[in-house]
Amino acid sequence: MTRSIPELYDSLLEQERILVDVLRQIVIETLPSYCKEKLSYGVPYFYGNRGICIIWPASVPRGGIKSGVLFGFSHGNKLNDEDQYLIHGNNKQVFYRIYQSPEEIDQDALIKLLKEALRIDGMNKGKIK
């Protein structure tokens, strides 16, 4: 199991590494400092009062995708995704988008959803993390 971000990067295909790096930068620049990143199941997971989002490359086992990098919102079912940017899939709670190249990333749409996820996360202050 991957124990650090550099170790994760070393294990990824070049295209996945680029995607993970771009997505992580968007998240890190958008989330406030009280939000933290940890590796969960060997992939980057961001949380505030509770889970916010996860970045899962296809080469990391148990992600359920065959190629690219999945960007998932832990409580995507609560987001107001008015642009219908996210895929709902089979999971009732985690909504996501799978990227095959950096050019597919709509940074504005992602930032809008991250800010919405933060608003929802802020509503859970005082609840058990």
Side-chain angles (χ1 to χ4, degrees):
M1 179 85 50
T2 306
R3 300 191 192 289
S4 69
I5 294 296
E7 194 177 315
L8 171 66
Y9 278 20
D10 287 346
S11 71
L12 298 177
L13 303 170
E14 183 181 4
Q15 188 72 352
E16 288 179 347
R17 187 169 43 250
I18 292 166
L19 280 163
V20 168
D21 194 44
V22 170
L23 292 167
R24 281 185 69 241
Q25 285 308 310
I26 292 169
V27 174
I28 290 166
E29 290 171 12
T30 304
L31 296 183
S33 61
Y34 80 86
C35 294
K36 302 296 179 208
E37 176 185 25
K38 70 176 181 177
L39 287 180
S40 183
Y41 298 100
V43 300
Y45 174 73
F46 294 87
Y47 63 98
N49 294 303
R50 62 181 184 179
I52 294 175
C53 62
I54 193 161
I55 301 170
W56 203 305
S59 62
V60 176
R62 301 195 335 228
I65 61 171
K66 295 186 184 343
S67 67
V69 174
L70 179 144
F71 187 98
F73 285 91
S74 302
H75 299 278
N77 60 323
K78 295 182 179 175
L79 296 177
N80 179 13
D81 184 12
E82 59 192 32
D83 301 323
Q84 298 182 347
Y85 188 69
L86 301 174
I87 298 166
H88 298 184
N90 296 329
N91 190 304
K92 292 178 183 166
Q93 185 173 319
V94 177
F95 291 2
Y96 61 92
R97 183 79 180 225
I98 298 171
Y99 300 100
Q100 302 297 331
S101 71
E103 294 76 30
E104 294 176 10
I105 299 170
D106 182 338
Q107 186 167 336
D108 292 338
L110 210 48
I111 289 171
K112 184 176 177 181
L113 289 164
L114 279 165
K115 288 180 178 178
E116 172 73 4
L118 273 172
R119 185 186 66 75
I120 291 166
D121 185 65
M123 295 167 60
N124 292 292
K125 285 183 180 171
K127 293 188 178 177
I128 298 173
K129 292 182 185 180

